[in-house]
Amino acid sequence: MHAHALVRSVPLLPRNLGISVLHVYRSVISPLYGDVCKYYPSCSAYAVGAVQQHGLIAGTARTAARLARCHPWAAGGVDDVPSSRHFRHKLTRHGFVVPMRKD
């Protein structure tokens, strides 16, 4: 990896650490609940997408707002993460955010 690519990756570390935590939650804890989410994608999948698109802080805030909307009287339905106009990265096959290659 070139030094410049490494430097461009450093700001993405908090985002990718958050995604790592969410992956662990989705593989260990989420299956214990079963399919109970009223929304599609599920709240944990929404959280991954929100952190990928908007970063750790803004993605966490969007996820908290989504969780606040999830209550017994909610209608549910499709609730996709809004795309960020400023998202200029690439996703790995495991969902981690990496800088676009500049060859």
Side-chain angles (χ1 to χ4, degrees), residues 2 9 18 21 25 27-28 30 33-34 38 41-42 48 55-56 60 63 77-78 87-90 93 98 101:
H2 297 298
S9 297
V21 170
Y25 172 85
S27 64
V28 175
S30 189
Y33 288 109
K38 291 183 171 203
S42 68
V48 170
L56 185 60
T60 300
T63 300
V78 176
F87 188 78
R88 307 230 191 301
H89 308 292
K90 194 170 87 172
R93 66 184 180 101
V98 294
R101 286 186 64 170

Side-chain angles (χ1 to χ4, degrees), residues 25-39 41-45 70:
Y25 172 85
R26 292 192 60 165
S27 64
V28 175
I29 298 170
S30 189
L32 299 174
Y33 288 109
D35 190 17
V36 296
C37 196
K38 291 183 171 203
Y39 289 101
S42 68
C43 290
S44 60
C70 189

Side-chain angles (χ1 to χ4, degrees), residues 85-101:
R85 295 184 329 223
H86 307 291
F87 188 78
R88 307 230 191 301
H89 308 292
K90 194 170 87 172
L91 297 177
T92 67
R93 66 184 180 101
H94 296 292
F96 295 104
V97 182
V98 294
M100 290 290 248
R101 286 186 64 170

Side-chain angles (χ1 to χ4, degrees), residues 13-26 96:
L13 284 176
R15 184 183 307 215
N16 286 324
L17 287 173
I19 291 169
S20 295
V21 170
L22 290 166
H23 282 318
V24 170
Y25 172 85
R26 292 192 60 165
F96 295 104

Side-chain angles (χ1 to χ4, degrees), residues 1-2 8 16 21 49 53-56 59-61 63 66 73 79-80 96 99:
M1 181 181 275
H2 297 298
R8 291 186 309 134
N16 286 324
V21 170
Q53 284 288 313
H54 301 283
L56 185 60
T60 300
T63 300
R66 164 74 178 269
W73 304 279
D79 183 22
D80 290 321
F96 295 104

